[in-house]
């Protein structure tokens, strides 16, 4: 099974770049401040609350991400790990408010990340923001996102129980009209109503997480009817207590109901996980078959923003591996 997972041509479609900072970069940079093997990197670690998780993430990420070169260096290390796992397509977001923290324009951060992509790895970059940013000081910047070259799309993230500003729908529609992809975190720390909101109010077809939609069959059917993809991060869901244990994760139920589900790592800095481990957890703890794992990989390529020939090549390779 390990060899099969490695051989699958995989995609990563839910990855926060700041949250993917390799911890070993911090240790190499300032070993006294960032000792190896911090407690939160243990697989058994559980975050008490989302603010607790967010605090640890920001305490570790913000000291590093101070300029475009630091984004490039981190992205280079992150993408090298993808290549080693036979990941060939990545969608990653950077936290838009950081542009204000470090006074660097977003396009410069995008260029730094894009320059770190190695040959053979397709990378698409998204701007992620909090629900409150739409009505705050970032609004003039947000109003220009549809014109940013090299930006694949936008993502609404952060503490989900924060209300979604009604103005977001207008911004998301403008971004889609410019040919970019819109995403929204929903169905993680709040219930299925937030998944419905993301689909019906914001018009997204890419929901980040979405797992709590399983609590309402009507929302699941809405997602199926609209062709919505859930970009799920199982190890993150367990670490943040969204689900109590991997064996209780609803990903199989969602897939059987017809929801297209992908698998990603979310914030490897905080969960010490890899995409290979995500697939392995499905196999070992949820008894996913090779056919089911192949379907997960297939789902990623179905939504990937790649030329048709690239998609067909990857899907044919997955089919050969599944049939072997």
């Amino acid at each position: 099974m390990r060899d099969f997972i490695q051989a699958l041509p995989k995609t990563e479609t839910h990855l926060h770049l700041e949250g993917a900072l390799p911890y070993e970069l911090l240790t190499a940079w300032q070993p006294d401040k960032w000792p190896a093997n911090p407690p939160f990197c243990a697989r058994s670690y559980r975050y008490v609350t989302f603010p607790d998780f967010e605090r640890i993430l920001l305490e570790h990420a913000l000291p590093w991400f101070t300029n475009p070169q630091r984004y490039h260096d981190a992205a280079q290390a992150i993408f090298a790990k993808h290549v080693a796992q036979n990941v060939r397509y990545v969608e990653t977001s950077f936290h838009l408010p950081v542009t204000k923290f470090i006074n660097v324009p977003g396009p410069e951060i995008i260029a730094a990340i894009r320059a770190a992509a190695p040959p053979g790895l397709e990378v698409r970059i998204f701007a992620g923001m909090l629900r409150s940013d739409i009505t705050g000081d970032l609004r003039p910047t947000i109003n220009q996102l549809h014109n940013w070259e090299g930006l694949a799309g936008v993502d609404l993230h952060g503490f989900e129980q924060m209300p979604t500003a009604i103005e977001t729908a207008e911004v998301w529609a403008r971004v889609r009209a410019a040919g970019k992809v819109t995403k929204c975190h929903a169905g993680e720390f709040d219930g299925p109503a937030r998944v419905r909101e993301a689909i019906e109010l914001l018009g997204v077809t890419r929901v980040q997480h979405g797992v709590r939609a399983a609590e309402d069959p009507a929302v699941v059917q809405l997602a199926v009817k609209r062709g919505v993809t859930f970009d799920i991060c199982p190890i993150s869901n367990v670490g943040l207590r969204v689900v109590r244990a991997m064996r209780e994760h609803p990903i199989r139920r969602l897939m059987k109901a017809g929801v297209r589900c992908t698998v990603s790592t979310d914030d490897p800095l905080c969960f010490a996980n890899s995409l290979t481990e995500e697939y392995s957890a499905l196999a070992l703890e949820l008894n996913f078959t090779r056919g089911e794992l192949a379907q997960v990989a297939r789902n990623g390529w179905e939504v990937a923003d790649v030329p048709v020939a690239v998609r067909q090549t990857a899907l044919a390779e997955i089919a050969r591996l599944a049939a072997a």
Side-chain angles (χ1 to χ4, degrees):
M1 182 63 81
R2 186 186 306 112
D3 292 343
F4 175 74
I5 291 171
Q6 174 64 26
L8 283 172
K10 294 175 287 295
T11 67
E12 169 111 74
T13 53
H14 182 167
L15 181 72
H16 301 275
L17 195 123
E18 292 89 356
L21 173 67
Y23 186 85
E24 58 268 24
L25 291 185
L26 291 174
T27 300
W29 174 42
Q30 294 181 340
D32 293 338
K33 185 175 182 180
W34 313 111
N37 303 315
F40 63 84
C41 284
R43 179 62 66 240
S44 59
Y45 189 85
R46 300 291 181 267
Y47 291 92
V48 178
T49 63
F50 183 84
D52 175 48
F53 156 78
E54 195 171 44
R55 174 184 57 80
I56 288 180
L57 191 158
L58 295 177
E59 284 178 354
H60 289 78
L62 290 184
W64 177 271
F65 290 102
T66 56
N67 56 58
Q69 184 62 47
R70 284 287 181 82
Y71 270 93
H72 178 274
D73 293 347
Q76 195 169 51
I78 292 165
F79 297 154
K81 293 186 177 187
H82 282 119
V83 171
Q85 297 173 83
N86 200 21
V87 178
R88 302 181 192 175
Y89 174 85
V90 174
E91 292 178 0
T92 187
S93 65
F94 71 96
H95 190 46
L96 191 63
V98 172
T99 61
K100 297 295 184 184
F101 301 162
I102 65 176
N103 196 30
V104 173
E108 291 188 23
I109 293 177
I110 294 170
I113 298 170
R114 286 173 61 88
L121 182 67
E122 296 281 349
V123 175
R124 304 291 179 264
I125 303 167
F126 289 69
M129 66 204 76
L130 304 175
R131 283 172 163 80
S132 57
D133 288 333
I134 299 291
T135 56
D137 295 340
L138 269 176
R139 183 59 184 271
T141 300
I142 292 170
N143 284 343
Q144 295 302 315
L145 292 177
H146 63 288
N147 291 322
W148 281 12
E149 185 177 352
L151 185 70
V154 294
D155 179 19
L156 207 60
H157 63 210
F159 195 36
E160 190 183 343
Q161 292 174 344
M162 192 180 294
T164 302
I166 192 69
E167 297 93 334
T168 309
E170 174 192 347
V171 174
W172 259 226
R174 183 165 62 245
V175 169
R176 280 195 299 275
K180 301 182 188 299
V181 177
T182 55
K183 298 182 178 183
C184 180
H185 280 57
E188 183 187 20
F189 285 95
D190 211 340
R194 298 310 291 272
V195 177
R196 180 180 292 278
E197 174 192 73
I199 297 170
E200 294 185 336
L201 175 65
L202 301 185
V204 305
T205 56
R206 297 288 298 281
V207 170
Q208 307 296 274
H209 296 298
V211 294
R212 291 190 59 188
E215 298 169 14
D216 186 343
V219 174
V220 172
Q221 287 309 304
L222 174 66
V224 174
K225 181 180 179 181
R226 297 284 185 92
V228 174
T229 298
F230 289 177
D231 294 312
I232 294 175
C233 306
I235 291 175
S236 165
N237 294 156
V238 174
L240 288 170
R241 303 175 190 255
V242 175
V243 298
R244 289 183 297 182
M246 188 65 70
R247 64 181 177 275
E248 298 180 20
H249 201 286
I251 183 171
R252 177 182 274 119
R253 284 189 284 130
L254 291 167
M255 290 176 65
K256 284 188 173 181
V259 179
R260 181 190 291 117
C261 297
T262 68
V263 167
S264 297
T265 57
D266 200 4
D267 295 281
L269 169 62
C270 296
F271 303 111
N273 54 336
S274 67
L275 197 61
T276 297
E277 288 176 305
E278 297 285 350
Y279 275 74
S280 296
L282 297 181
L284 294 173
E285 300 189 57
L286 283 172
N287 297 315
F288 264 46
T289 65
R290 293 189 179 202
E292 288 175 310
L293 294 177
Q295 186 59 54
V296 170
R298 192 177 296 116
N299 291 343
W301 286 105
E302 287 176 355
V303 297
D305 177 21
V306 294
V308 173
V310 173
R311 178 180 295 107
Q312 289 178 339
T313 297
L315 292 177
E317 191 171 344
I318 293 168
R320 287 195 299 273
L321 288 166

